[in-house]
Each structure stands twice: as structure tokens, then as C-alpha cells.
């Protein structure tokens, strides 16, 4: 037996349920930690101090600690190529997402939540049918970031880090395959170039695999470990990586080596939240049922690893 215990959480919004019902499901499944991406999902109506307080009280009533909140997908749908290095801070779309991120920091402060989530801009043409840079990114294990693009990323997240310092909060970078921090190596490089201890990583081993980083569970863990905040936990099978053809599935039925991921977290005693997501659809089509399936799949493995297996 070991005395290490995983901090098991849930992506509340992926249940497909309203906020309070998602909290009830988390309580049912034993998830002590929760996060979500969009405030207007958790708050029905105007985002006021009273509404924010009620949101926090509802989580507490269900025994769920909100460990992070998202800023409505900030910098998720924005293509980095649309920004000029010298003037990126003046771009209307950048300003909109930047201000939303600051608002989310303020709300997190009120809730006593220590972290907010941000994404890291889309690769060229990512939200088109062609995805022109995808083959290059797959073949190079995540893509080659041009010097000017890295300068843009550093400038953007230096501005973000300054706000994080001002608000005494951490900003957690997502690891999605559509964005510039699609791999653990890109995530680490950006954080180290910015040089702020306010920037952390929500590790997505499945999305790293989608992006061509096949050793995310091993070498990838070494990359993220110094900056690791939490994990986004789902599974998938890559059918044809070069053609961006993959299929989500229940945990343990895909390509992600979760036993190795869990053992690395245990062996290095990482104080992080293991946040279960879904993405696949069960026969019922229910996100809540998908979450129940994933918890049923991961619980025995967690117990085995906690026991020293």
C-alpha cells in the first residue's frame, strides 16, 4: 500500500446536464473536484456577485471543490496568423477574449478558486475543412512553430501573466491539438519563454497523442511535471493520424497509456487533479451516462495504482 491518493475530479460541463445536476452527478460518482469552461452555463442569467456566490454555494452543498474555471474558451477560436506582433493587444478579438479572461480571474477571486483556464490560439486554417497545417504537425510530432509566431505567443501570454500576478491567480494552459500548445514540449517551451510561475499546464495525454506526440505518457510527463496543474482525462483511438482521423472511446479502450500516466503521478507524488471528461457518446447518447462509464472504467485502475500496482 502507498499513502498517495489521487484527487479525482470531473469536467462538469461534459455531462450535458445543467450545473446543479452536474454537481449532483459528481457527488454520486465521488468526484471531489470540478471545473467548467463557460460561466453562462453555470449561471442562468446575468453574472452578478450574488449569482457567483450562489454558484459557489451550490458546489459546496454537493461536496465539490471548484478547482478551476474557464473563460469561455478564451483564445480558442482565434487564429494566431490574424494577429500582428506589434499590435496584437489592439486587435478587437484579442481584446474581447483578454477582457473575458480578466473578468474570469475576478470571479475566481470572489469564489476562492485559484486557477483559470486559457487556450493558446489556433494554427492557420484550423477551423476550415482543409486544416492546411495538420499533415505537417502530425509528421513533426506537433508542428514547427515559426519564430515570429512564438514571439506572438510570448507577448500575448506575458500580458496574461501580468494580469494573473495582479489578481494573485494561476492561468492554466490547455493542451488541445488544434492550438499551439498541442504537445507537452510546446507547452513547456512557451511557459519557460514567458518566465512566469503563474502559468501552469492542464495536461491532455489523449490530445497530445492526437497531435502526434506518441510518448506523452513517458517523455511528455517529464516535460509537463514542473508546471503540472491538472489533467484532462479522456481516451481515443487514432485511426489515421496524417488525415486527422480518430475516434473517442471510453477510458481504457483507446490508445492512451493511463496506467503509466497514473503511476508517474503516484511515483512523483504530484498534487494535481485528475479530471475525468468524456467526448464519446454511449448508446443512450447521454453525456451523464458517458461520465458514469468513464468513472466505472478508471476507478479500478486508480485503486490498483494507489495500492502500489
Amino acid at each position: 500500500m502507498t499513502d498517495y491518493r489521487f484527487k479525482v475530479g470531473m469536467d462538469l460541463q461534459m455531462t450535458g446536464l445543467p450545473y446543479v445536476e452536474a454537481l449532483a452527478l459528481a457527488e454520486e460518482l465521488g468526484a471531489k473536484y470540478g471545473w467548467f469552461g463557460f460561466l453562462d452555463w453555470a449561471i442562468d442569467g446575468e453574472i452578478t456577485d450574488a449569482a457567483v456566490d450562489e454558484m459557489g454555494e451550490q458546489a459546496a452543498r454537493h461536496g465539490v471543490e471548484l478547482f478551476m474555471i474557464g473563460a469561455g474558451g478564451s483564445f480558442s477560436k482565434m487564429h494566431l496568423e490574424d494577429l500582428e506582433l506589434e499590435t496584437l493587444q489592439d486587435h478587437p478579438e484579442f481584446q474581447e477574449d483578454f477582457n473575458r479572461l480578466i473578468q474570469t480571474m475576478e470571479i475566481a477571486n470572489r469564489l476562492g478558486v485559484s486557477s483559470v483556464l486559457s487556450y493558446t490560439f489556433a494554427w492557420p486554417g484550423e477551423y476550415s475543412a482543409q486544416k492546411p497545417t495538420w499533415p505537417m504537425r502530425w509528421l513533426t510530432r506537433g508542428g514547427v512553430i515559426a519564430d515570429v509566431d512564438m514571439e506572438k505567443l510570448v507577448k500575448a501570454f506575458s500580458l496574461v501573466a501580468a494580469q494573473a500576478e495582479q489578481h494573485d491567480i494561476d492561468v492554466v494552459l490547455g493542451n488541445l491539438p488544434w492550438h499551439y500548445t498541442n504537445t507537452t514540449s510546446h507547452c513547456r517551451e512557451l511557459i519557460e519563454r514567458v518566465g512566469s510561475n503563474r502559468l501552469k499546464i492542464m495536461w491532455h495525454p489523449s490530445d497530445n497523442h492526437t497531435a502526434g506526440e506518441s510518448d506523452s505518457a513517458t517523455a511528455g510527463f517529464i516535460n509537463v511535471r514542473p508546471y503540472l496543474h491538472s489533467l484532462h482525462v479522456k481516451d481515443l483511438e487514432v485511426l489515421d493520424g496524417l488525415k486527422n482521423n480518430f475516434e473517442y472511446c471510453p477510458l481504457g479502450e483507446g490508445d492512451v497509456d493511463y496506467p503509466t500516466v497514473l503511476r508517474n503521478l503516484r511515483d512523483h507524488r504530484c498534487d494535481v487533479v485528475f479530471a475525468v471528461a468524456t467526448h464519446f457518446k454511449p448508446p443512450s447518447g447521454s453525456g451523464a451516462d458517458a461520465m458514469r462509464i468513464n468513472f466505472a472504467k478508471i476507478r479500478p485502475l486508480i485503486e490498483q495504482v494507489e495500492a502500489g500496482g
Side-chain angles (χ1 to χ4, degrees):
M1 287 285 291
T2 72
D3 60 357
Y4 179 85
R5 293 295 177 265
F6 290 97
K7 297 169 73 170
V8 181
M10 177 187 290
D11 183 336
L12 296 166
Q13 205 160 349
M14 292 213 73
T15 64
L17 299 171
Y19 176 64
V20 175
E21 293 179 37
L23 290 170
L25 180 62
E27 184 177 21
E28 171 196 325
L29 296 177
K32 301 298 185 183
Y33 302 87
W35 81 279
F36 58 86
F38 291 82
L39 282 164
D40 58 3
W41 168 76
I43 295 177
D44 184 15
E46 187 179 356
I47 297 174
T48 63
D49 287 350
V52 169
D53 292 345
E54 175 63 15
M55 180 180 69
E57 291 163 7
Q58 288 167 335
R61 283 197 289 270
H62 288 280
V64 176
E65 177 183 333
L66 296 176
F67 72 95
M68 180 176 70
I69 55 177
S74 57
F75 308 136
S76 176
K77 296 294 185 180
M78 196 183 315
H79 288 94
L80 192 65
E81 66 176 344
D82 293 338
L83 303 176
E84 297 295 333
L85 176 61
E86 295 78 11
T87 59
L88 67 81
Q89 69 276 7
D90 301 320
H91 190 286
E93 194 175 353
F94 178 89
Q95 288 183 335
E96 181 180 356
D97 280 14
F98 187 68
N99 290 336
R100 186 185 301 118
L101 185 57
I102 293 172
Q103 179 194 35
T104 306
M105 292 179 189
E106 293 168 348
I107 290 169
N109 284 163
R110 185 172 183 88
L111 286 168
V113 174
S114 62
S115 307
V116 299
L117 179 73
S118 177
Y119 294 110
T120 54
F121 303 96
W123 287 83
E126 184 56 36
Y127 297 112
S128 68
Q130 290 77 28
K131 292 183 180 286
T133 64
W134 184 271
M136 177 275 290
R137 284 147 56 193
W138 172 261
L139 291 170
T140 58
R141 291 169 46 88
V144 177
I145 301 177
D147 290 344
V148 66
D149 289 333
M150 181 55 74
E151 288 181 63
K152 292 178 188 178
L153 291 169
V154 171
K155 181 175 181 179
F157 284 98
S158 294
L159 294 171
V160 168
Q163 287 295 323
E165 192 65 44
Q166 183 176 327
H167 289 84
D168 190 23
I169 200 163
D170 290 335
V171 174
V172 182
L173 304 184
N175 216 191
L176 290 175
W178 334 119
H179 300 151
Y180 278 82
T181 56
N182 54 353
T183 63
T184 63
S185 55
H186 287 337
C187 251
R188 180 165 183 160
E189 181 181 7
L190 175 57
I191 288 175
E192 292 184 344
R193 290 207 184 196
V194 173
S196 170
N197 62 8
R198 289 294 180 182
L199 298 184
K200 309 295 182 185
I201 298 172
M202 186 179 210
W203 183 24
H204 300 213
S206 57
D207 289 318
N208 300 155
H209 187 70
T210 311
E213 188 177 23
S214 57
D215 55 357
S216 177
T218 50
F221 171 74
I222 295 171
N223 282 332
V224 299
R225 183 187 165 202
Y227 312 104
L228 188 57
H229 170 272
S230 51
L231 288 85
H232 180 83
V233 179
K234 61 180 183 281
D235 209 346
L236 54 81
E237 182 182 6
V238 174
L239 305 175
D240 188 332
L242 193 61
K243 295 181 179 178
N244 188 31
N245 183 9
F246 63 91
E247 187 172 296
Y248 294 116
C249 58
L251 289 171
E253 296 183 13
D255 296 336
V256 183
D257 185 2
Y258 277 113
T260 296
V261 168
L262 288 165
R263 291 185 187 108
N264 275 329
L265 295 174
R266 178 200 64 192
D267 292 347
H268 293 275
R269 307 188 69 81
C270 296
D271 183 19
V272 300
V273 175
F274 191 82
V276 178
T278 54
H279 288 270
F280 73 95
K281 289 292 184 185
S284 67
S286 163
D289 286 347
M291 193 65 76
R292 289 186 178 96
I293 290 168
N294 268 357
F295 266 81
K297 294 278 189 178
I298 202 66
R299 274 294 184 192
L301 181 55
I302 285 175
E303 290 167 3
Q304 178 185 350
V305 173
E306 285 179 341

